[in-house]
Structures are given as C-alpha cells and as structure tokens.
Amino acid sequence: MSRSWAFGTASRSPFSHPSGFRGRLAGLVMLLTNDHQGVVDLLAVRPGDQVLEIGHGAGGFLRRLTATPAGMIYGVEPSAVMRDEAARRLRNEIASGRVELRLGTAEDTGLPTTSIDRVVALNNVAIWPDLEAGLREIHRITRPDGLVVIGWHSRTAPSRLTRRLALPEDRLEVLHDTMRRVFGAAERVELRSLTAFTATR
C-alpha cells in the first residue's frame, strides 16, 4: 500500500483505493456527496476537447463531463472496482466510443504525450504517493495551452463527512508550489466544496 505524500502514511480508508463491498459503498458515498459544478465552469470545456479525469471513482463527475461539448472523455482510475462501477453507469457512452476508461494512476496514465486538452483530478491528489511525479505526468500528456484543474476537499466550507479530510495550509502550499514549479504558474481558487488549483501548460 503506497504512502501518501500529504499525510505521510498509507491510508487504509476504502476511499483511497476502493475494493470489495466497502469500496462500492465508498463509491456511492462519493456520488452522493460530491457536487462540483464549479469545476465544470473552471474547466471551460470547448467543442471537441479531449478531456481526462484522473481518479474518477464511481463516475459521477465523468457523467457531468458528458454534458459538456467534449469530443472524447477519458478516465484513469487505480481501482478496478471503481472503474467497473463507472463503466456500468456510462455503458452507453462507452459503447458509442465517446468515453474510454482505463486502469492507471496520476503517475502513469498510459496516454500519449500532448494528447489531452483538459485534465481534472478531484479529491485524490493528497493520496498520490509522489506529487511531483503525478504532476509531471499530467504536464507530459497535456497539450500546449491545455488546462489542468486539481481539487481537494474545502477547508472553508467542508461537509460533515469531509471536514476531517481537509488539508492543513502548509500541505496546500506544497501542492501550489509544486504546480507552479512544474507548470510555471498556478492559481488557487476556493469553490464551495473544493480548494482548486489551476494551471495552463
């Protein structure tokens, strides 16, 4: 089990690498508690954009992405259970060829260099084992002028379920500084349920 760069320990939570019954239950909780309309607005998906969600869980945000003018939507997820749950919910979009789901991680997406216009990762960056490796892989696959949005549970307006997951300010600063180093610049945006960081390649 990998150690988190943010917490310094290996998480045993079913939310970090969902598997079995507890993993499916965690996926359901994520579907019911995550409301990220503000992220859709930040992404500003353009007609024909190639969009990737890293750590898509049970597919709630992927479903939102299908309502945008994206040309192709990819999902990369380390949990086979969550990949299968998302595939079940998006079976029509997968059958049509508009959505493609694959097993992978932020550090190893398996996608070609400069192939993605919009990359989003929600509520999983803090459990990556290597923050810089993940961001460098995202930089590699993002096209010039492509946009990256990375969010974690809000410290300003957390729900009762996510309050204990909020990162301390010094960890948020590490994330912000690492994004600036990898991408050259990054902005912090406080949304209702997320602290989000954006960067352009």
Side-chain angles (χ1 to χ4, degrees):
M1 191 176 292
S2 300
R3 294 170 63 89
S4 152
W5 71 267
F7 301 117
T9 58
S11 173
R12 298 186 180 278
S13 166
F15 293 95
S16 64
H17 193 89
S19 62
F21 173 76
R22 293 180 70 224
R24 293 187 185 89
L25 184 60
L28 178 60
V29 170
M30 287 185 276
L31 282 174
L32 295 175
T33 59
N34 290 342
D35 176 17
H36 302 316
Q37 180 56 44
V39 179
V40 176
D41 298 335
L42 274 182
L43 278 172
V45 176
R46 303 162 300 188
D49 272 351
Q50 307 290 293
V51 181
L52 166 67
E53 183 181 7
I54 294 172
H56 56 70
F61 193 71
L62 286 173
R63 172 68 68 189
R64 283 182 177 267
L65 289 174
T66 64
T68 72
M72 184 71 185
I73 299 165
Y74 297 91
V76 168
E77 166 63 49
S79 165
V81 167
M82 288 297 95
R83 190 272 313 273
D84 293 346
E85 286 290 303
R88 182 174 60 82
R89 289 185 172 86
L90 295 162
R91 57 185 175 274
N92 292 335
E93 292 81 1
I94 292 171
S96 74
R98 188 174 181 224
V99 172
E100 179 181 318
L101 306 182
R102 56 176 67 196
L103 292 176
T105 64
E107 297 91 341
D108 183 12
T109 64
L111 292 166
T113 299
T114 60
S115 61
I116 303 296
D117 299 290
R118 296 288 188 267
V119 180
V120 60
L122 303 177
N123 294 332
N124 56 67
V125 64
I127 57 177
W128 297 356
D130 188 327
L131 175 61
E132 183 153 349
L135 292 176
R136 291 203 177 280
E137 170 70 353
I138 291 171
H139 183 275
R140 180 188 70 79
I141 65 174
T142 303
R143 288 176 173 162
D145 297 323
L147 179 67
V148 175
V149 177
I150 295 179
W152 185 255
H153 302 286
S154 172
R155 297 181 73 241
T156 57
S159 70
R160 283 183 294 177
L161 285 172
T162 62
R163 186 175 293 117
R164 65 184 179 83
L165 299 174
L167 287 174
E169 191 61 32
D170 67 321
R171 296 289 86 190
L172 292 173
E173 279 302 312
V174 170
L175 172 55
H176 198 180
D177 288 345
T178 308
M179 285 189 72
R180 281 190 289 234
R181 185 166 65 252
V182 172
F183 289 91
E187 299 294 330
R188 177 172 172 172
V189 182
E190 295 295 340
L191 302 176
R192 187 173 68 84
S193 61
L194 288 172
T195 296
F197 298 89
T198 66
T200 302
R201 191 185 192 287

